[in-house]
């Protein structure tokens, strides 16, 4: 059970964003710009960054949700699994591999990001903006992971939740969709429907 | 030198917010609502949590600027800030604040480090759901800001006077994104 009273039908981050709508608004806006805004990084690549950082932080809700989201962009789910375990073993571009390493270092601490890690990304063509966005996405997920686990939010009762969430994140991004939450509530109250 | 081409004469988070204003805007809006919005924790107490977490993350820019803001907001009790940065167990703060800072410290380590017992102790000292929420979110938010500022190796001034000036501005104006402020 979560440490503070959250709506039972909203697992993980979703319950927190509804609990505190004033703080949720800039967090959602930031996430939408970074993850779905115009960028030379694909939406799938940005989801991989979120997944790798969440996995490094051991946050089950965020890791599972963003793995599912990343898999809506990559047809082969083994890519995301490999990225979480061994970045360099993935068939991804050298640029995104270097950026995933930067993200992983950000997860450990801002000061862990070495000039060598940045240089490797630049050598493989990463722009300043791509490096900026990688670091900020990684830092943002360090916020999310701590928010979600620090208040002991609950996991969804079944795994199909993540598939539906991933579909919504792919289609609608990170903006608040009240109807989606209502649907969840109805499902919860009418288990047979 | 910073890892990306930000204005070299502008320090810390501000150089990043000017580099990418689209993300700077919600970042400043988040700081404003969390640290200055309606709350039963004072702005000074919230700045103290921010400064403490930043010091645990060894982010000098964030530690010194938020410590300066907290000192300015605490006024006559400004020495509390150095006491907290030295040792929260001996600092002359309320028992409730001490339990909240312990929770912030756990959040800095990892979200999963926060134990039911940490929450219980804070509740026994009168912490409310909302205060627990805000403490965790402030701590988590500064784990983001600290990583953003240091992960891109932004300029960290060493002149204490610069931080005093920043602290005064943050205390009076809050988190406004303006080139001249």
């Amino acid at each position: 059970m979560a440490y503070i009273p959250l709506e039972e039908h909203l697992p993980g981050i979703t319950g927190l964003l509804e609990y505190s709508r004033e703080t949720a608004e800039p967090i959602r806006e930031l996430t939408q710009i970074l993850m779905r805004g115009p960028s030379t990084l694909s939406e799938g690549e940005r989801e991989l960054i979120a997944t790798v950082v969440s996995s490094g932080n051991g946050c089950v809700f965020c890791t599972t949700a963003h793995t599912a989201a990343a898999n809506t962009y990559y047809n082969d789910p083994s890519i995301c699994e490999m990225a979480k375990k061994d970045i360099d073993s993935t068939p991804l571009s050298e640029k995104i591999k270097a950026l995933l390493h930067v993200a992983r270092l950000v997860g450990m601490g801002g000061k862990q990001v070495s000039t060598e890690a940045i240089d490797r990304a630049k050598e493989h063509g990463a722009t300043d903006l791509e490096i900026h966005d990688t670091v900020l996405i990684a830092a943002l997920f360090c916020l999310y992971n701590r928010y979600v686990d620090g208040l002991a939010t609950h996991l969804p009762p079944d795994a199909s939740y993540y598939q539906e969430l991933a579909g919504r994140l792919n289609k609608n991004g990170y903006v608040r969709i009240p109807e989606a939450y209502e649907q969840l509530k109805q499902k919860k109250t009418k288990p047979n429907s | 030198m910073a890892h990306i081409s930000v204005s070299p004469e502008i320090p810390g988070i501000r150089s990043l917010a000017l580099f990418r204003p689209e993300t700077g805007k919600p970042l400043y809006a988040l700081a404003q609502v969390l640290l200055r919005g309606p709350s039963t924790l004072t702005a000074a107490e919230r700045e103290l949590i921010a400064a403490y977490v930043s010091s645990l993350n060894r982010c000098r820019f964030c530690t010194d600027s938020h410590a300066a803001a907290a000192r300015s907001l605490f006024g006559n009790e400004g020495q509390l800030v150095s006491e907290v940065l030295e040792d929260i167990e001996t600092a002359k703060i309320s028992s409730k604040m001490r339990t909240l800072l312990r929770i912030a410290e756990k959040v800095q380590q990892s979200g999963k480090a926060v134990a039911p017992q940490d929450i219980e102790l804070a509740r026994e000292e009168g912490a409310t759901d909302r205060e627990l929420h805000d403490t965790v979110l402030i701590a988590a938010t500064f784990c983001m800001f600290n990583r953003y500022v240091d992960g891109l190796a932004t300029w960290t001034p060493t002149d204490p006077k610069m931080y005093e000036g920043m602290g005064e501005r943050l205390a009076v104006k809050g988190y406004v994104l303006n080139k001249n402020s």
Side-chain angles (χ1 to χ4, degrees):
Chain A
M1 214 183 82
Y3 292 145
I4 56 174
L6 302 173
E7 289 186 77
E8 210 188 314
H9 68 292
L10 300 177
I13 188 65
T14 54
L16 292 170
L17 294 175
E18 285 298 283
Y19 178 83
S20 178
R21 297 263 290 276
E22 321 78 74
T23 47
E25 204 176 306
I27 293 174
R28 281 184 186 278
E29 188 187 339
L30 177 63
T31 312
Q32 179 67 14
I33 293 166
L34 281 173
M35 303 296 285
R36 296 293 180 271
S39 170
T40 46
L41 296 174
S42 71
E43 293 180 12
E45 287 171 333
R46 289 178 270 172
E47 288 292 345
L48 281 183
I49 295 170
T51 307
V52 163
V53 171
S54 300
S55 164
N57 283 326
C59 181
V60 173
F61 180 84
C62 295
T63 304
T64 316
H66 293 279
T67 296
N71 286 340
T72 66
Y73 296 97
Y74 294 93
N75 290 328
D76 178 2
S78 72
I79 291 174
C80 194
E81 288 312 311
M82 287 159 84
K84 284 184 274 188
K85 291 190 191 95
D86 179 5
I87 293 164
D88 289 319
S89 72
T90 62
L92 298 164
S93 73
E94 290 304 314
K95 181 180 81 176
I96 188 66
K97 280 196 257 188
L99 290 173
L100 287 170
H101 279 293
V102 168
R104 185 139 258 174
L105 292 171
V106 170
M108 295 184 222
K111 290 198 195 308
Q112 302 302 313
V113 181
S114 60
T115 307
E116 292 71 34
I118 297 288
D119 286 348
R120 176 178 164 185
K122 286 185 180 172
E123 276 160 27
H124 291 295
T127 64
D128 277 8
L129 192 54
E130 288 171 341
I131 291 169
H132 169 278
D133 284 9
T134 297
V135 171
L136 187 49
I137 291 169
L140 173 61
F141 278 85
C142 288
L143 178 160
Y144 275 129
N145 300 159
R146 283 169 169 79
Y147 192 21
V148 163
D149 282 339
L151 287 164
T153 61
H154 70 270
L155 295 174
D158 72 277
S160 67
Y161 170 87
Y162 293 111
Q163 300 310 319
E164 289 175 34
L165 176 63
R168 278 208 309 280
L169 293 178
N170 181 308
K171 187 164 156 270
N172 305 314
Y174 291 86
V175 292
R176 182 172 181 269
I177 304 188
E179 306 85 68
Y181 292 147
E182 284 310 305
Q183 278 171 16
L184 282 170
K185 193 180 255 175
Q186 283 158 14
K187 266 192 187 169
K188 181 93 194 168
T189 49
K190 291 183 222 158
N192 299 325
S193 69
Chain B
M1 216 183 75
H3 290 319
I4 57 173
S5 52
V6 294
S7 309
E9 74 281 12
I10 301 175
I13 183 72
R14 190 163 291 268
S15 69
L16 297 173
L18 294 173
F19 176 83
R20 182 98 149 95
E22 301 87 345
T23 48
K25 185 179 150 268
L27 283 168
Y28 272 64
L30 176 60
Q32 177 67 17
V33 66
L34 257 183
L35 302 178
R36 296 291 182 279
S39 171
T40 49
L41 295 174
T42 65
E45 288 171 327
R46 288 178 276 169
E47 288 286 356
L48 192 58
I49 298 170
Y52 183 55
V53 169
S54 301
S55 78
L56 296 172
N57 279 322
R58 310 231 178 283
C59 179
R60 168 118 189 239
F61 178 82
C62 297
T63 305
D64 288 4
S65 55
H66 293 283
R71 275 190 199 100
S72 177
L73 289 162
F74 272 118
N76 293 337
E77 295 175 300
Q79 84 288 348
L80 287 179
V81 179
S82 302
E83 288 175 18
V84 162
L85 295 180
E86 188 72 27
D87 182 359
I88 60 170
E89 300 307 325
T90 55
K92 292 174 202 70
I93 48 174
S94 70
S95 307
K96 182 176 87 177
M97 199 59 209
R98 202 181 325 277
T99 58
L100 292 177
L101 287 168
R102 285 190 196 129
I103 290 171
E105 183 171 335
K106 293 287 189 77
V107 172
Q108 185 267 338
Q109 294 160 14
S110 160
K112 286 183 298 191
V114 182
Q117 190 193 357
D118 300 317
I119 299 290
E120 273 322 299
L121 287 170
R123 285 194 195 282
E124 279 167 24
E125 299 297 341
T128 63
D129 288 337
R130 186 74 218 189
E131 288 169 345
L132 291 167
H133 169 274
D134 289 358
T135 297
V136 170
L137 185 51
I138 291 168
T141 296
F142 279 84
C143 287
M144 169 181 72
F145 279 126
N146 300 160
R147 282 170 169 76
Y148 185 33
V149 162
D150 280 341
L152 288 165
T154 60
W155 176 42
T156 300
T158 50
D159 178 5
K161 286 228 158 31
M162 273 197 77
Y163 291 102
E164 276 173 38
M166 278 183 235
E168 293 287 327
R169 280 197 300 280
L170 292 176
V172 176
K173 293 188 181 173
Y175 294 85
V176 283
L177 192 47
N178 178 326
K179 247 185 179 162
N180 304 314
S181 67

